[in-house]
Amino acid sequence: MNYDAWALWYDIAYSTVSNIGVDFYVGLAKEVGGPALEIGVGTGRLSLPIAQAGIDIVGIDLHAPMLDVARRKLSDLGTTAGNLQLMNADMRTLELGRKFKFIFAPARVLLLALTPEEQTESLRRLVAHAEPDGRVAFNFFVPNDDMIYGPQGFPYIYKDVTHPVTGNRVLFWVADRFDAETQTNHGLHIFEELNDAGETVGKTTIDVVIRYIYPTEAIVMIEDAGMIVEEIYGDFDRSPLTEESPEQIYICRPA
C-alpha cells in the first residue's frame, strides 16, 4: 500500500464514518483503565479521543506518513488530559519493554498481516505487552460467501464526500478481488475528485491487500497466542456475533 497517498486521503475517505467504533473503544479504555496501547494508530482517530478522556496511551504504526498526520492533529489539539506517545513500530515484532492495561488493534489492523502465522504472532506480541489483569481487544469484518464469491474487480462507490480543503466532491471507489484459497483480498481504493462542473480534476489509486479471518479461525489464533476470550460481539452496539454480523469483536485476557 502507498501510505504516503493513504495518509493524505484516510481522514477524507472516512469523514462520514469516523465515529464508528470510537465510543466503543473509548468506553472500553475508560472501563479497563490505562495505560493503553493502540496497534495501528494511523492518523489518531481513536487514540486522540482516548487521550482527551484522560488516559495515557501509546500509539504505534508501521508507516511514518500516518504518524506525521497524527502528530499534526495532536499538535492542533494542544494539551490533552492524558498523554499520547506516537511511535513507529511493527505489530509482528513488537517489543516496547513495558506492559499496558488495555491493548487494542481496531479497524481490521490484524488483517494487514498476510499469513495466519503472522496474524497469530501479532496476537502473541499484543498479549506479551498486557498486564496480567489487562485486556486485549480487536475487530475485523465477518467474511461471507456473497462478499468472497460475488462479482470481482468492479469498482463501486463506497463513499461520496466533500474535500475539506478544495470543497470539491470526492468519490471513494472500491474494487474487491477476493481469493478464497489464500483468504486474501487484493483490493483497490480509488479517490476521484470532481469540480463543480463534474469534471475529474484528480484521481489516486491505492492497492490494499488484507488476509481475512473467519470466527472459528480467530478463536484458534486467540488460544494459540495465549489468550482467553471474555466477550465476543457482532457489532459496536455489543450485539451477538452471527453469520449476518458486520463485525467480529473480541475482548480477551491473558491466559
Side-chain angles (χ1 to χ4, degrees):
M1 184 188 295
N2 179 353
Y3 279 91
D4 288 296
W6 188 229
L8 294 174
W9 287 103
Y10 181 88
D11 287 333
I12 297 172
Y14 291 102
S15 60
T16 61
V17 295
S18 61
N19 63 332
I20 291 180
V22 173
D23 289 344
F24 178 86
Y25 280 111
V26 173
L28 199 54
K30 289 180 178 179
E31 178 185 328
V32 176
L37 170 65
E38 180 178 5
I39 308 300
V41 66
T43 64
R45 186 177 68 94
L46 293 171
S47 280
L48 287 170
I50 288 175
Q52 287 178 300
I55 296 169
D56 291 338
I57 181 166
V58 173
I60 70 148
D61 204 286
L62 183 59
H63 303 287
M66 303 293 279
L67 291 170
D68 289 341
V69 175
R71 289 190 180 100
R72 286 198 297 270
K73 291 165 71 174
L74 178 60
S75 177
D76 290 343
L77 279 178
T79 303
T80 55
N83 180 63
L84 170 56
Q85 181 182 6
L86 298 166
M87 301 178 61
N88 186 228
D90 188 333
M91 66 180 176
R92 297 166 297 182
T93 57
L94 189 64
E95 184 50 73
L96 298 179
R98 58 176 295 195
K99 302 284 187 178
F100 297 86
K101 189 79 169 181
F102 178 50
I103 300 172
F104 63 108
R108 298 146 172 70
V109 167
L110 286 168
L111 305 188
L112 295 172
L114 298 180
T115 68
E117 293 79 16
E118 285 191 345
Q119 290 170 338
T120 302
E121 184 57 29
S122 296
L123 290 174
R124 289 194 184 103
R125 299 317 309 151
L126 268 60
V127 71
H129 287 78
E131 294 181 0
D133 60 345
R135 294 296 182 270
V136 177
F138 48 91
N139 71 280
F140 32 80
F141 68 87
V142 179
N144 62 65
D145 286 352
D146 289 341
M147 177 190 302
I148 296 163
Y149 298 105
Q152 303 290 306
F154 298 100
Y156 60 90
I157 296 175
Y158 180 68
K159 291 295 173 185
D160 186 338
V161 298
T162 300
H163 197 292
V165 177
T166 66
N168 287 332
R169 183 185 184 193
V170 175
L171 299 180
F172 176 14
W173 300 81
V174 173
D176 294 317
R177 294 172 293 184
F178 285 93
D179 184 328
E181 183 175 347
T182 60
Q183 287 183 212
T184 55
N185 178 22
H186 293 253
L188 294 176
H189 288 181
I190 304 164
F191 300 95
E192 182 180 12
E193 187 173 355
L194 308 174
N195 63 17
D196 290 340
E199 301 166 329
T200 299
V201 294
K203 182 180 285 189
T204 302
T205 300
I206 302 172
D207 292 303
V208 182
V209 184
I210 56 97
R211 182 189 181 273
Y212 55 89
I213 301 173
Y214 288 97
T216 51
E217 183 184 16
I219 296 298
V220 173
M221 287 182 173
I222 289 166
E223 293 175 350
D224 286 349
M227 291 186 284
I228 296 172
V229 176
E230 288 214 322
E231 301 171 57
I232 303 176
Y233 300 112
D235 208 345
F236 293 110
D237 60 3
R238 300 197 178 217
S239 55
L241 175 62
T242 69
E243 292 181 356
E244 288 75 38
S245 297
E247 297 288 329
Q248 43 183 318
I249 304 170
Y250 301 91
I251 302 174
C252 310
R253 63 175 174 84

